[in-house]
Amino acid sequence: MSNLTTLTTESELAYLDNNATTQVDQAVLQEMLPFLSEFYGNPSSIHRFGSQVGQAIEQAREQVQKLIGASHASEVIFTSCATEASATAILSAVEAYPKRKEIVTSVIEHPATLQLCQMLERKGYTIHWIGVDQRGRLDMEAYKAALSENVAVASFMWANNETGSLFPIRGMAELAKQHGIVFHTDAVQVAGKLPIQVADSGIDLLSISGHKFHAPKGIGALYLRRGAKFRPLLRGGHQERGRRAGTENSSGIVGLGKAAELAMQSIEQDSARIKLMRDRLEMGLLARVPNCFVTGDPKHRVPNTSNIAFEFVEGESILLMLDQHGIAASSGSACTSGSLEPSHVMRAMEIPYTAAHGAIRFSLSRFTTEAMVDQVLAVLPGIVEKLRMLSPYWDVTSNQPASESFSPVYA
């Protein structure tokens, strides 16, 4: 904890990495605290110490149900995180349909899905890796062609965690239903940002993570449509109606429920305000910094995310210098940012190498302020200019690229 004393003061901090994790809302924290102290009973116990905790868990289940638009609270299964929820969904489907030896997913999924599918591929499953175009839009013809009665599950993220681009999940789910395929979506970057209504969709399974919308880390949920075949990942006790064994994380579940309730109360107002700030940030940077462009689909994305590629500079260097000014951003998924290679999302979109290395993700939340946006606009242009002076791809004399810019021309 001593390292925290070296940070700048709170008033100077600009946290724009909310797709990695969000600040726990104080109202969420206050809701949780009693379940870390006086309400310590095991919710599976029949005495009052346990039953009062069990009642709080069921209330949270109803709050999450409303957030995702499910028909019944019983369709919500609490997990430790979205990684567990997604693994449960995919492995349940392949176990429930053992004769179906194919899986359909995209090349730009979160590592939680990518690495699980790669493991299943090594075990003999055929994985249909569906590609994307330069805007991150799914190749729908390839998706349709991959669907058949041999496919156990189709698993796709609703919004990409790096670019914010949205897949047409509802239509994709309906196409999968025509072949009796289980459809799962990783909705981690959509929950709390856009309205979700799973009840009238073809979605069978949906994953969310609390710490992406102001609940604590270590708590997630899996939506399971009533009537869908299901095989538990964790077996043992009777918790979660026998669908996820293990004593419940009571305080985390209560926090997730409260965060879901708060998101429902202000989702439209928050999304509109956040989108305005994101757009001002983008337009300001594009106007101030030459040779940069926004990646992803500008027309179909979540309102809080902007991924901007700055050509001829290293993203890691940008992030380190931003951090010195009290600004937190990201070069991609927090689960893969330890790599020096461009992210698999940028590579799949065929973002030129000289730009993919300089791709920076800014992700906002309801706690983002105009002052934070102003801080980035004041600092980042100078950082990019300084770094380009050190780049072999930049002509210092003319302050232009040393060769023709590789910025792609998008359709």
Side-chain angles (χ1 to χ4, degrees):
M1 295 294 290
S2 60
N3 289 338
L4 295 179
T5 59
T6 64
L7 293 175
T8 53
T9 63
E10 186 176 351
S11 61
E12 296 172 318
L13 292 175
Y15 183 79
L16 295 173
D17 197 17
N18 289 278
N19 283 10
T21 197
T22 57
Q23 174 185 345
V24 174
D25 192 297
Q26 283 297 309
V28 171
L29 177 60
Q30 292 305 312
E31 197 86 359
M32 292 173 61
L33 287 176
F35 295 88
L36 293 168
S37 53
E38 63 260 38
F39 298 136
Y40 53 83
N42 189 316
S44 296
S45 300
I46 62 173
H47 49 63
R48 72 181 67 179
F49 294 99
S51 63
Q52 62 189 359
V53 177
Q55 290 169 12
I57 287 175
E58 292 313 307
Q59 178 180 326
R61 202 182 307 277
E62 292 176 1
Q63 291 166 319
V64 174
Q65 171 206 347
K66 292 175 183 176
L67 177 70
I68 63 175
S71 297
H72 304 277
S74 62
E75 295 176 313
V76 175
I77 303 170
F78 291 117
T79 65
S80 64
C81 58
T83 294
E84 181 196 328
S86 294
T88 301
I90 294 169
L91 294 175
S92 170
V94 299
E95 187 178 340
Y97 296 91
K99 294 183 179 180
R100 297 186 173 213
K101 297 295 183 181
E102 298 180 14
I103 297 169
V104 186
T105 191
S106 86
V107 295
I108 62 170
E109 295 298 308
H110 189 276
T113 297
L114 282 180
Q115 294 195 21
L116 177 60
C117 288
Q118 289 166 356
M119 180 270 287
L120 290 170
E121 193 171 39
R122 292 191 294 270
K123 289 191 173 185
Y125 279 83
T126 297
I127 311 296
H128 297 276
W129 300 101
I130 309 302
V132 296
D133 67 10
Q134 283 192 316
R135 281 298 192 190
R137 297 172 293 212
L138 193 72
D139 185 340
M140 288 299 294
E141 292 306 312
Y143 172 68
K144 294 174 186 177
L147 302 178
S148 75
E149 282 67 29
N150 298 318
V151 175
V153 58
S155 179
F156 290 84
M157 62 192 340
W158 201 324
N160 185 263
N161 52 305
E162 294 191 29
T163 65
S165 297
L166 295 160
F167 281 163
I169 289 297
R170 293 175 68 91
M172 293 168 64
E174 292 302 327
L175 289 170
K177 290 296 100 183
Q178 296 174 14
H179 300 273
I181 297 169
V182 175
F183 191 88
H184 163 253
T185 184
D186 165 0
V188 166
Q189 298 296 348
V190 172
K193 300 173 186 175
L194 294 173
I196 299 175
Q197 284 292 329
V198 291
D200 60 352
S201 74
I203 297 169
D204 296 300
L205 297 141
L206 177 146
S207 308
I208 67 171
S209 181
H211 75 104
K212 305 297 186 179
F213 58 99
H214 308 293
K217 301 171 185 65
I219 185 64
L222 174 66
Y223 161 78
L224 171 65
R225 181 179 56 80
R226 282 183 103 181
K229 289 186 178 181
F230 182 73
R231 303 291 184 272
L233 176 66
L234 298 181
R235 291 173 166 85
H238 63 275
Q239 294 90 353
E240 295 299 293
R241 297 172 174 82
R243 300 171 301 184
R244 198 274 187 183
T247 301
E248 295 91 343
N249 172 9
S250 303
S251 61
I253 290 171
V254 168
L256 177 62
K258 184 63 175 180
E261 179 185 274
L262 293 172
M264 283 294 292
Q265 291 172 356
S266 60
I267 192 167
E268 292 185 4
Q269 305 94 302
D270 286 346
S271 294
R273 186 181 68 85
I274 291 167
K275 181 180 181 298
L276 287 174
M277 286 193 291
R278 181 204 65 189
D279 291 347
R280 189 165 76 84
L281 174 66
E282 278 185 354
M283 290 186 290
L285 289 175
L286 293 177
R288 291 168 171 80
V289 182
N291 297 92
C292 70
F293 56 92
V294 178
T295 71
D297 186 347
K299 295 181 180 179
H300 302 98
R301 56 176 169 162
V302 287
N304 81 311
T305 304
S306 175
N307 189 298
I308 302 179
F310 299 92
E311 293 187 277
F312 316 117
V313 290
E314 293 286 338
E316 287 77 10
S317 298
I318 294 176
L319 293 176
L320 288 171
M321 296 182 75
L322 284 174
D323 185 58
Q324 292 173 359
H325 290 274
I327 300 170
S330 172
S331 58
S333 168
C335 300
T336 58
S337 58
S339 171
L340 294 178
E341 289 297 311
S343 79
H344 68 286
V345 176
M346 296 296 108
R347 296 198 302 270
M349 292 166 60
E350 297 184 347
I351 302 298
Y353 197 77
T354 51
H357 264 291
I360 302 297
R361 180 187 71 186
F362 301 97
S363 46
L364 291 63
S365 80
R366 67 169 173 264
F367 293 121
T368 304
T369 65
E370 296 284 353
M372 294 178 185
V373 172
D374 290 338
Q375 190 172 344
V376 176
L377 293 176
V379 168
L380 185 52
I383 289 175
V384 174
E385 181 179 10
K386 181 177 181 179
L387 291 173
R388 281 179 176 165
M389 294 300 106
L390 305 174
S391 171
Y393 300 104
W394 195 260
D395 187 333
V396 178
T397 303
S398 64
N399 198 29
Q400 293 290 329
S403 60
E404 185 178 353
S405 172
F406 295 108
S407 296
V409 177
Y410 286 129

